[in-house]
Amino acid sequence: MVSGVPPYFEDFEGCVNWTMYNGAQTNQWYIGNATSASGIRAMYVSNTSGTTNTYNVTATSIVHAMSNTVIDLTGGGACINMSFSYRSGGEGSYDWLDVFAVPVGYVPTAGVAIVGGAVGGVLPNLANPVLLAGPLNGQTSYTTFTASLNALSG
């Protein structure tokens, strides 16, 4: 666990403090070099063990990537601004990315959606920067990205 008082920066190039909750889902989170926004590494969803940033559109998957950096929300502010680069190649209204602030100690389960926490936004209509606000103000939390990919189309 690493303590992070905003501003906090993650470029996936050096020491990476993320835990992936992929379980046996077909499409899984990886940190690797199959794609990047800048530098040579990024975090992405893959169905090829991270060798590509493609995914199987006929397989339902709910996977979570949680930062192990504790973000201190105890400063009394109304919300925290979080910005990040992303590329969304999902299927219209079938696939989405949620951004959550969840309490320290929360452990997501692959295949199960996160309920509660402070929802930052949902792709493809995700504003950037994301405003994480809500029930976790005044607490410390982890930032969590959840990819929800369903098999309704393909």
Side-chain angles (χ1 to χ4, degrees):
M1 180 179 348
V2 177
S3 181
V5 176
Y8 167 73
F9 178 78
E10 171 68 76
D11 64 2
F12 303 108
E13 297 297 329
C15 181
V16 178
N17 291 301
W18 289 77
T19 300
M20 308 309 175
Y21 296 89
N22 292 320
Q25 303 291 293
T26 299
N27 303 299
Q28 301 188 354
W29 282 110
Y30 289 92
I31 294 174
N33 60 3
T35 188
S36 70
S38 61
I40 61 169
R41 294 169 48 97
M43 183 171 70
Y44 50 90
V45 172
S46 174
N47 69 330
T48 60
S49 300
T51 59
T52 66
N53 66 317
T54 59
Y55 71 97
N56 183 334
V57 298
T58 63
T60 298
S61 300
I62 300 175
V63 290
H64 313 281
M66 180 183 287
S67 171
N68 294 325
T69 300
V70 175
I71 303 298
D72 184 359
L73 299 178
T74 61
C79 63
I80 185 170
N81 289 324
M82 183 176 78
S83 62
F84 53 93
S85 298
Y86 67 91
R87 179 176 56 202
S88 174
E91 293 183 286
S93 61
Y94 299 111
D95 301 330
W96 62 90
L97 173 69
D98 292 316
V99 182
F100 294 93
V102 296
V104 170
Y106 178 83
V107 178
T109 302
V112 179
I114 294 175
V115 178
V119 178
V122 179
L123 286 177
N125 302 313
L126 184 63
N128 205 354
V130 172
L131 300 177
L132 292 176
L136 296 180
N137 287 348
Q139 299 182 35
T140 54
S141 68
Y142 290 132
T143 302
T144 304
F145 288 82
T146 299
S148 299
L149 312 168
N150 69 35
L152 293 176
S153 178

